[in-house]
Amino acid sequence: GMQSHLQALLSLYKLFCPEQVTITLPGKMKTYFKNSEGPWKAAITAVRQRNQGASPLSQAVFLGTSQPQSRKRKWNAQLVIPASSANTNHLEEDREKNRLYLYSPNESFPVEQLQTFPQLLQNIHRLEFPSQMGSVLTNPLLLHYMNCVKDESIYLRLYYWMGQRLQEECTWCVVDNPCEEEFKSFLETAYKAECFLQEGFSACEEFLYKTLPLWDGICCRSEVLRLVSWIPLSSFPDIKPHLFDPLAQLFFTSSIYFKCSVLEALKELLQNWLNCNVIQMDLEISS
C-alpha cells in the first residue's frame, strides 16, 4: 500500500522527473527529506562577501526547486545561485573550447555558457536544461528555447515545480506566511514569463481556480488579475464556477477601483483568447 515514507520518496522523484511518476500524490505530507542546501548557501554567501562585486549573475532572480521544510520558512531574497546544468564535471576543461560557443555534435551545451541568441541558434539541439527550473522564468534565451522546442518533460518539470511553490507560498491561504512582497515578486515573474511565451502556465491556472474562492481581492491584487488575463480558453461551464463566480462576489462588494481592475483583466483575457484563436486558425489554414 501507499505508506507515508514511500509517498515522500515518490514526491521527491516527481519533483525532478514528473514524467516518471504518473500516480496522484497527496498535497500534504510529512517531510522526510531535509533541505541539503544549507552548506552550499553558506559557501556561496561567503564567496560573494569575499568578492564584494556585483556580477551579472547577481542581478538574476533565483527561484529554487527544493521542497520547503516548513510553511513558516521565508524566501531568501538575498541568495542568488546561477542556473546549473545536470552535468558540470567538464566545465573547466571546456571553457577555452566554448569561446567559439560551438560544441561537437555529441556534446551537450550547458546553460552556464549560454549568453547570446546566436549561441542559442547554434546549439539549440544540444542545449542541456538547468537543474533549477525556476531560473527558466527569468532567462529570455531559455524561454525562447521552450517556444521552439516543444519538450513535454520541460513543461512537466516547470508545472510541478510552480504548483509546489504557489501552493506553499500563497499569502492568503497560508496563515503564518507574512512574506507578501516575496510572493508578489514571484507572481510578477510568472506573469512576465507568460507574456513572453504568449500563453498561460497550467500551474497558474490551477492555482487561480483553487484560491480565488478564498481571495479577499486585496492581497497581491494587480498580480493576481494579471495572471487571470492569461487563463487558457475553455468552455464557459468549466470556467464559470472557478473564475467568474468568485470574481462576481468580490465585484459586487468592492470599490469602484476594484471593479475597473476586474473589467480590465477580463478585457485583456478576451484579447488573449482572440489572438490565440486567430493564430490557431492561421495554422490550420496553412496546414
Side-chain angles (χ1 to χ4, degrees):
M2 288 298 293
Q3 301 179 29
S4 58
H5 56 278
L6 294 179
Q7 288 180 343
L9 184 61
L10 287 172
S11 177
L12 189 64
Y13 290 157
K14 192 169 184 178
L15 185 62
F16 292 100
C17 297
E19 69 278 5
Q20 300 296 329
V21 182
T22 58
I23 63 174
T24 301
L25 297 174
K28 297 180 179 180
M29 291 184 296
K30 181 180 177 181
T31 301
Y32 280 85
F33 302 98
K34 295 183 178 180
N35 193 333
S36 60
E37 294 181 352
W40 280 106
K41 291 180 179 179
I44 292 172
T45 301
V47 171
R48 292 184 61 206
Q49 292 176 351
R50 184 168 65 248
N51 292 339
Q52 294 181 350
S55 65
L57 288 173
S58 65
Q59 307 302 323
V61 177
F62 167 68
L63 302 170
T65 59
S66 61
Q67 287 182 313
Q69 297 184 43
S70 169
R71 290 181 178 272
K72 294 184 178 180
R73 77 170 174 85
K74 296 182 179 180
W75 283 25
N76 190 345
Q78 302 301 318
L79 178 64
V80 179
I81 299 178
S84 59
S85 298
N87 182 10
T88 58
N89 295 330
H90 305 291
L91 287 182
E92 291 298 330
E93 61 189 49
D94 290 339
R95 187 165 295 170
E96 292 296 326
K97 180 169 53 180
N98 291 343
R99 287 183 178 180
L100 297 177
Y101 60 80
L102 286 176
Y103 272 40
S104 66
N106 297 326
E107 275 188 296
S108 61
F109 188 86
V111 292
E112 292 87 349
Q113 306 298 328
L114 187 63
Q115 300 293 331
T116 64
F117 193 74
Q119 283 181 321
L120 176 65
L121 295 180
Q122 293 287 347
N123 300 280
I124 193 167
H125 297 299
R126 296 185 293 273
L127 189 65
E128 183 179 6
F129 235 64
S131 301
Q132 304 286 354
M133 286 306 296
S135 61
V136 175
L137 297 179
T138 55
N139 191 320
L141 294 176
L142 295 182
L143 291 175
H144 273 303
Y145 177 81
M146 288 183 62
N147 256 341
C148 296
V149 181
K150 298 298 183 181
D151 189 344
E152 187 66 22
S153 64
I154 295 174
Y155 285 92
L156 281 173
R157 287 177 61 194
L158 195 60
Y159 162 77
Y160 188 70
W161 175 81
M162 289 186 67
Q164 291 279 81
R165 277 287 176 257
L166 290 168
Q167 177 182 338
E168 294 292 335
E169 305 298 340
C170 180
T171 51
W172 61 88
C173 293
V174 182
V175 178
D176 55 356
N177 183 5
C179 306
E180 182 175 345
E181 291 303 318
E182 289 84 351
F183 190 58
K184 277 185 178 181
S185 177
F186 180 39
L187 296 182
E188 182 68 20
T189 300
Y191 168 73
K192 290 179 179 179
E194 289 182 330
C195 292
F196 190 96
L197 296 171
Q198 290 294 291
E199 63 177 331
F201 292 115
S202 298
C204 292
E205 179 188 13
E206 291 186 6
F207 164 74
L208 290 172
Y209 287 167
K210 290 179 181 178
T211 60
L212 279 179
L214 306 174
W215 186 45
D216 59 4
I218 299 175
C219 182
C220 306
R221 174 190 297 165
S222 60
E223 291 76 18
V224 171
L225 292 178
R226 286 173 182 173
L227 290 181
V228 166
S229 66
W230 279 110
I231 289 178
L233 175 63
S234 56
S235 64
F236 183 76
D238 293 335
I239 294 180
K240 182 178 182 299
H242 301 294
L243 176 64
F244 297 127
D245 287 351
L247 287 179
Q249 294 180 2
L250 293 170
F251 185 88
F252 292 116
T253 58
S254 300
S255 63
I256 295 294
Y257 177 79
F258 180 83
K259 290 181 172 64
C260 293
S261 299
V262 171
L263 292 176
E264 178 69 18
L266 295 179
K267 184 197 77 172
E268 294 179 1
L269 176 63
L270 180 59
Q271 289 177 339
N272 291 332
W273 282 352
L274 292 174
N275 290 334
C276 292
N277 191 45
V278 168
I279 293 174
Q280 186 64 30
M281 289 178 61
D282 291 342
L283 292 175
E284 292 175 356
I285 292 174
S286 61
S287 61

